[in-house]
């Protein structure tokens, strides 16, 4: 294409897990694509339609059968397996038909999907002749590192049942056993990863099939929050957008930060009621939700559940993290914080105010923390973000769907 030739308008479709933490990392990319004159369609749980349409994209909606996946306070392996199986069935029996019905008459050039929508996303791309792209809101997987192996017990009976569901679904669309290895792999030939390579587990083992573009969100709106101006340190505390009722945890955090030294900002989860916490000390403010980038530039520490969106926001501003993961890949991310010397991990089941206070003090006193934070912040800021992701998607949209991505 000669220099200066406008890029043809393309259509991009996204099939993502019904969770804000999976949708939010893609919104910056969607905005960038829309600004370049492309069209973007999300196939999304109806609860998230306003988030999608607010950024200018179109929404094809369905009602997710998602249970407590990622939300249970103390998820056990059996519950995780059951929720995972139900989610798989939902993606092939509800999400895929909704996507095909809506997009068959207006096929996308590219279908983006994530770890939990692999089967539906890849089959949809095949049926519609689109380029498949896997997006990774958390750690990517390759031949050396398997996120699936970290999360799922291969011996659980529901794993075999899930395999039968996938084989049946693939067979319904003409995909034989000889092809199923490619369609069932944990990664694709084109992968967008919303973290920097420096934070990826086994990051040096990933090749050019993986583009580590880092987080893609922009700067927060001005005036959403201002520090109190009393010179006290600021602690931000959150368990994510869908944390649910964790009143005991938040009250414990209020005790861990003494009013003589700290001002504490808490975000309790969308739809929560701060009044349910009861009276709070004067140095603590609680919000149902507040965009964390409004607070993080002023924060000395972030106490959170180790969700990747929260971690990337915090590390983008050079704010150290005390992570309190429950299960799933959150434990791996918390461990990675410690390996990178930018945070500490704590067991939430044995948490006390004294232990949290001591961990924060040791983290902030560690002489290696500032340099490690600066290095990771620079890695995030040079990863390319939404503009690089959009550049790649524009290039991939021109390629043969069956051909591996170039470079």
């Amino acid at each position: 294409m000669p220099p200066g030739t406008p890029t043809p308008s393309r259509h991009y479709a996204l099939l993502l897990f019904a969770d804000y933490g999976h949708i939010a990392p893609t919104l910056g990319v969607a905005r960038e694509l829309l600004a370049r004159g492309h069209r973007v369609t999300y196939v999304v749980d109806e609860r998230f339609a306003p988030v999608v349409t607010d950024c200018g994209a179109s929404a094809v909606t369905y009602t997710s059968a998602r249970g407590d996946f990622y939300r249970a306070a103390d998820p056990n392996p059996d519950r995780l397996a059951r929720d995972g199986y139900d989610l798989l069935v939902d993606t092939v029996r509800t999400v895929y038909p909704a996507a095909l019905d809506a997009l068959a008459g207006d096929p996308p050039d590219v279908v983006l999907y994530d770890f939990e929508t692999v089967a539906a996303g890849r089959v949809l791309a095949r049926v519609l002749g689109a380029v498949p792209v896997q997006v990774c809101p958390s750690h990517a997987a390759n031949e050396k590192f398997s996120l699936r192996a970290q999360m799922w017990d291969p011996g659980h009976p529901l794993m075999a049942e899930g395999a039968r569901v996938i084989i049946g679904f693939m067979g319904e669309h003409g995909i034989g056993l000889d092809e199923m290895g490619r369609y069932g792999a944990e990664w694709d030939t084109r992968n967008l990863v919303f973290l920097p390579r420096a934070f990826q587990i086994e990051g040096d083992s990933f090749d050019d099939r993986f583009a580590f573009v880092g987080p893609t969100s922009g700067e927060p709106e001005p005036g959403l929050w201002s520090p109190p101006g009393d010179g006290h340190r600021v602690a931000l505390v959150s368990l994510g957008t869908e944390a649910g009722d964790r009143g005991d945890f938040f009250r414990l955090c209020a005790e861990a930060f003494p009013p003589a030294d700290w001002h504490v900002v808490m975000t309790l989860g969308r739809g929560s009621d701060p009044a349910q916490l009861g009276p709070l000390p004067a140095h603590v403010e609680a919000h149902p939700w507040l965009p964390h980038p409004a607070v993080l530039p002023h924060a000395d520490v972030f106490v959170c559940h180790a969700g990747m969106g929260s971690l990337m926001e915090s590390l983008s501003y050079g704010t150290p993290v005390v992570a309190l993961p429950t299960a799933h890949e959150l434990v791996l991310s918390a461990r990675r914080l410690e390996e990178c010397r930018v945070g500490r991990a704590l067991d939430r089941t044995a948490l006390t105010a004294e232990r949290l206070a001591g961990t924060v003090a040791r983290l902030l006193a560690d002489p290696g923390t500032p340099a490690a934070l600066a290095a990771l912040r620079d890695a995030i800021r040079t990863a390319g973000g939404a503009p690089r992701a959009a550049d790649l998607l524009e290039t991939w949209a021109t390629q043969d769907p069956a051909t591996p991505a170039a470079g």
Side-chain angles (χ1 to χ4, degrees):
M1 184 180 296
T5 302
T7 303
S9 176
R10 303 286 184 179
H11 184 193
Y12 297 85
L14 296 93
L15 281 69
L16 305 172
F17 178 44
D19 182 275
Y20 184 77
H22 284 238
I23 296 167
T26 69
L27 295 175
V29 182
R31 293 188 188 97
E32 182 72 22
L33 291 170
L34 290 163
R36 298 182 184 194
H38 302 296
R39 294 183 297 123
V40 178
T41 301
Y42 281 78
V43 181
V44 65
D45 180 279
E46 59 190 0
R47 293 174 300 139
F48 299 106
V51 175
V52 166
T53 56
D54 282 351
C55 85
S58 299
V60 173
T61 62
Y62 65 95
T63 301
S64 173
R66 168 193 164 176
D68 286 335
F69 199 78
Y70 287 111
R71 291 185 293 188
D74 297 297
N76 61 66
D78 285 338
R79 184 56 187 268
L80 177 61
R82 169 52 61 185
D83 285 345
Y85 174 78
D86 290 344
L87 170 66
L88 170 62
V89 172
D90 197 36
T91 60
V92 301
R93 299 298 177 225
T94 301
V95 180
Y96 174 80
L100 183 62
D101 184 58
L103 297 171
D106 182 19
D109 299 279
V110 178
V111 170
L112 297 94
Y113 64 91
D114 61 19
F115 181 73
E116 282 82 5
T117 55
V118 164
R122 291 178 183 171
V123 171
L124 183 72
R126 175 188 172 112
V127 170
L128 298 182
V131 175
V133 175
Q134 184 161 329
V135 298
C136 305
S138 186
H139 299 283
N142 66 357
E143 291 86 352
K144 187 169 184 178
F145 171 73
S146 169
L147 186 61
R148 183 183 296 167
Q150 300 287 336
M151 292 181 64
W152 309 106
D153 175 8
H156 196 285
L158 282 173
M159 291 296 288
E161 185 60 31
R164 284 192 286 271
V165 170
I166 291 177
I167 290 172
F169 176 64
M170 298 289 185
E172 291 170 10
H173 294 88
I175 300 171
L177 291 174
D178 57 330
E179 290 186 275
M180 284 188 188
R182 176 164 65 92
Y183 277 84
E186 284 186 73
W187 58 89
D188 212 322
T189 56
R190 303 166 184 83
N191 304 271
L192 282 180
V193 191
F194 296 123
L195 55 147
R197 183 185 295 273
F199 198 73
Q200 167 70 44
I201 298 171
E202 302 286 356
D204 291 340
S205 70
F206 286 78
D207 57 27
D208 287 346
R209 293 170 296 175
F210 301 84
F212 291 89
V213 299
T216 65
S217 57
E219 295 296 319
E221 297 178 22
L224 291 176
W225 185 84
S226 298
D230 54 13
H232 289 175
R233 286 181 159 182
V234 174
L236 176 62
V237 178
S238 178
L239 291 180
T241 56
E242 300 184 48
D245 183 13
R246 304 286 189 270
D248 292 344
F249 166 78
F250 288 107
R251 284 188 290 270
L252 181 151
C253 289
E255 296 174 13
F257 295 96
D261 304 307
W262 288 92
H263 182 83
V264 183
V265 181
M266 297 179 173
T267 63
L268 309 182
R270 296 180 188 275
S272 61
D273 182 3
Q276 293 180 348
L277 292 181
L280 293 171
H283 73 300
V284 177
E285 57 179 278
H287 304 262
W289 193 248
L290 182 68
H292 293 158
V295 181
L296 285 167
H298 312 282
D300 295 273
V301 68
F302 186 20
V303 179
C304 70
H305 64 310
M308 191 59 74
S310 294
L311 297 187
M312 289 298 103
E313 286 177 337
S314 192
L315 298 174
S316 293
Y317 290 97
T319 304
V321 180
V322 172
L324 301 150
T326 50
H328 319 311
E329 82 275 13
L330 305 181
V331 175
L332 301 177
S333 296
R335 188 182 307 154
R336 187 66 181 145
L337 283 172
E338 294 190 326
E339 292 171 351
C340 294
R341 297 192 67 179
V342 292
R344 298 287 188 276
L346 283 175
D347 181 357
R348 214 163 84 201
T349 62
L351 189 65
T352 65
E354 292 76 16
R355 190 177 181 205
L356 176 56
T359 301
V360 170
R362 288 188 293 275
L363 173 61
L364 297 184
D366 185 339
T369 300
L373 284 167
L376 202 46
R377 180 188 60 209
D378 290 345
I380 290 171
R381 293 183 176 180
T382 58
R388 182 182 171 214
D391 288 345
L392 288 165
L393 288 170
E394 287 181 332
T395 298
W396 292 341
T398 67
Q399 296 176 350
D400 182 341
T403 304

